[in-house]
Amino acid sequence: MSTLYDQIKLLYEQSLYSNVISLANLILSLSEHNSDLLPIYGKFHIYVYYADAHFYLGKYKKAEALYKKALQFRKCLLKSKGATKPLEGQKDLPTDVDIKFQIHLCLIKLKNSQEALQVLQSIPGKQRTPKVNMALAKMFQEQGMERSAITTYKEVLRECPLALEAAEGLLSLGVKGIEVNSLIVGCASNLSNLDWLNTWIKAHAHIHNREYTHAVSTLRSLDNVNLLRDNFNLLTIMGECYYYAGDDKNALLCLRRARIIEPDVMKGVDVYAAVLYKTHSIKELERLIPIITASNECTGEIYVAMAYSLYASRKLGRANTLTAQALNLNPNDIEATILRGNILIEQKKYQGALFFFRHAVQLKPYRYEPHKGLVDCLVGMHRLREALNIASGSCKQLGHTARVLTLYASVLMKDPVSVGKAKNTFGKSIASR
């Protein structure tokens, strides 16, 4: 015989979330005045369905409140006499861990990451599932809590040895590739044909050590018919490595191949747009925009790609607005920060540009573009001594590559006293190509 609880469950399973909200609201009110209307575990589960329905409809504040109410109701169930048995008898009932994880998701959506972190930390260590540890590790890393992040990423790999994002997280935090590889192999010793994975980890270790030439060589060994030929992620990562190394021509070749294979995937489209702009492939950049906007997605990558198209056509005000939208989604979006700074330079708003490039240097101190942006700002403001110090510091921090030496020489050229040194530096730049 069907019950009211069964009807709500049916609506939920059919993804009729607005109907779940309408019915659950009435039934929970009725149950307040008639305790026999619902079994006690059923009432608890309806609270969770009610919260989930709000979450899936994007009503995160209300969902958070309902999840907290469900959590409180569950505690009361466990404390009340005779209620423990029926609760334990329902194997599909959400646990405290499940509910707290959903509360954390609501808080992330509401941009309250500090409280989201506290909610996950309130889950006892032994009860933390891989998805809880993965979320915790990412937040620890974002907050600069590196030791906690490393420990938690390792917990993920112990249970899920092929969680590649956790492996890449460890590499980005300075854990050696050999150690990460041993963690994976040790937990996945019963799996065969993992040679490609060793190469993948080796490549990412090079990436996080900023050894982009070595990373590309390693990744290219996977780009063959027996392994990962024409794999979108592989090509995107190779393209980004070329881009970070200043090789825009090869970056374009890889990213263009990736777009042909997966035109509807938005990952890396911001870097692709940046490369198209830098290589003066403006027609291709213009053709890209209708494709990426057709999905009606609102991601930082899409906003940045659209901003590059407007930047190329000198519609600076509109381009600036789109970078602001990207930064609203993620204040630490490096591509949006760099482009915002360059737009402000074009508008001769050097003080504003200086703010964004300083932020970019803090985010990614080993990227060339933020250093160049700082130099361009200071030159524009006629603060040549400071520009020279930044350019000189870039040589030490980024290495004596052709483009860094060219940047340094271009500043030296502006001072008649140091023209001779500038010519010598230009010579070194040409020799290092």
Side-chain angles (χ1 to χ4, degrees):
M1 181 178 161
S2 180
T3 64
L4 288 170
Y5 164 73
D6 292 330
Q7 289 302 310
I8 286 182
K9 185 181 179 186
L10 175 64
L11 291 171
Y12 180 81
E13 288 172 346
Q14 297 302 315
S15 302
L16 298 172
Y17 299 125
S18 57
N19 288 272
V20 171
I21 290 171
S22 300
L23 186 57
N25 177 271
L26 296 171
I27 289 173
L28 288 170
S29 288
L30 286 167
S31 70
E32 293 298 318
H33 308 294
N34 182 358
S35 57
D36 297 328
L37 186 68
L38 293 168
I40 197 161
Y41 70 85
K43 186 172 181 178
F44 163 66
H45 213 155
I46 286 172
Y47 267 119
V48 178
Y49 286 146
Y50 194 24
D52 281 347
H54 280 89
F55 179 83
Y56 291 128
L57 292 176
K59 299 173 181 178
Y60 304 116
K61 193 70 187 168
K62 181 65 176 174
E64 180 203 352
L66 288 167
Y67 283 128
K68 286 179 176 176
K69 195 173 274 191
L71 207 55
Q72 200 59 42
F73 193 81
R74 193 177 193 279
K75 285 177 184 173
C76 294
L77 280 178
L78 292 169
K79 286 178 183 176
S80 61
K81 287 183 180 179
T84 315
K85 262 191 175 176
L87 186 66
E88 288 173 348
Q90 301 299 315
K91 289 183 181 177
D92 62 337
L93 280 184
T95 63
D96 276 12
V97 176
D98 296 325
I99 298 168
K100 285 183 178 179
F101 189 80
Q102 288 302 117
I103 291 171
H104 128 270
L105 288 179
C106 291
L107 290 165
I108 292 292
K109 291 289 186 182
L110 295 166
K111 302 190 184 226
N112 191 346
S113 55
Q114 195 58 50
E115 196 178 335
L117 177 59
Q118 289 167 5
V119 168
L120 290 186
Q121 284 182 298
S122 73
I123 300 171
K126 289 183 179 178
Q127 293 178 27
R128 290 175 188 171
T129 59
K131 75 174 179 180
V132 170
N133 278 322
M134 190 70 201
L136 264 173
K138 285 181 177 179
M139 283 193 280
F140 283 143
Q141 189 171 3
E142 285 168 10
Q143 305 260 348
M145 302 163 69
E146 294 191 356
R147 287 178 66 183
S148 297
I150 289 169
T151 303
T152 317
Y153 277 132
K154 285 180 178 179
E155 284 300 319
V156 176
L157 284 179
R158 282 192 185 98
E159 290 194 59
C160 302
L162 295 188
L164 296 182
E165 205 176 341
E168 288 165 23
L170 287 172
L171 294 167
S172 71
L173 289 163
V175 178
K176 299 291 183 189
I178 295 170
E179 186 182 346
V180 175
N181 196 45
S182 66
L183 272 171
I184 292 172
V185 172
C187 298
S189 53
N190 58 330
L191 297 174
S192 57
N193 301 320
L194 285 182
D195 290 344
W196 63 270
L197 184 58
N198 298 337
T199 308
W200 184 266
I201 291 167
K202 183 182 175 184
H204 278 81
H206 285 311
I207 290 168
H208 294 297
N209 288 330
R210 294 169 294 281
E211 299 163 350
Y212 299 118
T213 305
H214 293 308
V216 166
S217 299
T218 309
L219 289 167
R220 282 175 65 183
S221 71
L222 293 173
D223 187 24
N224 67 67
V225 288
N226 296 318
L227 293 169
L228 296 172
R229 180 72 177 176
D230 290 337
N231 177 270
F232 173 83
N233 284 334
L234 177 72
L235 290 169
T236 300
I237 293 165
M238 280 174 61
E240 288 174 350
C241 286
Y242 278 125
Y243 176 59
Y244 299 150
D247 187 346
D248 294 332
K249 183 182 174 183
N250 278 313
L252 182 57
L253 291 174
C254 288
L255 294 171
R256 188 183 278 151
R257 267 180 69 196
R259 300 307 313 165
I260 291 167
I261 293 161
E262 294 280 4
D264 299 323
V265 177
M266 295 303 117
K267 180 186 175 185
V269 76
D270 49 353
V271 173
Y272 182 45
V275 173
L276 289 172
Y277 176 80
K278 286 187 174 183
T279 55
H280 310 290
S281 307
I282 306 306
K283 291 290 182 188
E284 193 174 341
L285 177 56
E286 288 172 358
R287 288 195 299 271
L288 174 69
I289 303 309
I291 297 168
I292 64 174
T293 53
S295 65
N296 290 321
E297 288 183 59
C298 297
T299 67
E301 289 96 332
I302 291 174
Y303 284 137
V304 170
M306 291 167 66
Y308 265 110
S309 179
L310 291 165
Y311 182 48
S313 58
R314 319 315 298 156
K315 295 173 183 174
L316 302 180
R318 288 171 63 192
N320 208 13
T321 301
L322 285 169
T323 57
Q325 286 177 283
L327 290 167
N328 186 46
L329 291 175
N330 176 13
N332 295 332
D333 185 328
I334 185 64
E335 301 304 329
T337 304
I338 290 167
L339 179 54
R340 184 81 181 270
N342 282 325
I343 292 167
L344 290 169
I345 285 177
E346 287 290 323
Q347 295 175 319
K348 304 209 181 310
K349 297 177 180 177
Y350 298 115
Q351 198 61 49
L354 207 57
F355 168 81
F356 284 101
F357 283 121
R358 280 174 175 157
H359 181 50
V361 167
Q362 287 178 332
L363 291 174
K364 300 287 180 182
Y366 292 95
R367 284 283 297 271
Y368 166 76
E369 295 83 4
H371 293 270
K372 183 180 186 304
L374 284 177
V375 169
D376 289 344
C377 284
L378 293 166
V379 168
M381 297 165 84
H382 306 292
R383 290 157 60 175
L384 291 181
R385 181 55 51 194
E386 289 174 71
L388 196 58
N389 289 339
I390 295 290
S392 174
S394 299
C395 292
K396 293 170 187 171
Q397 191 163 12
L398 303 177
H400 288 69
T401 63
R403 61 179 175 170
V404 175
L405 288 168
T406 301
L407 178 66
Y408 184 37
S410 69
V411 183
L412 288 169
M413 282 293 287
K414 296 187 182 297
D415 185 349
V417 177
S418 54
V419 168
K421 189 176 180 182
K423 288 178 180 176
N424 185 37
T425 307
F426 270 127
K428 289 180 183 177
S429 167
I430 293 164
S432 67
R433 287 182 192 276

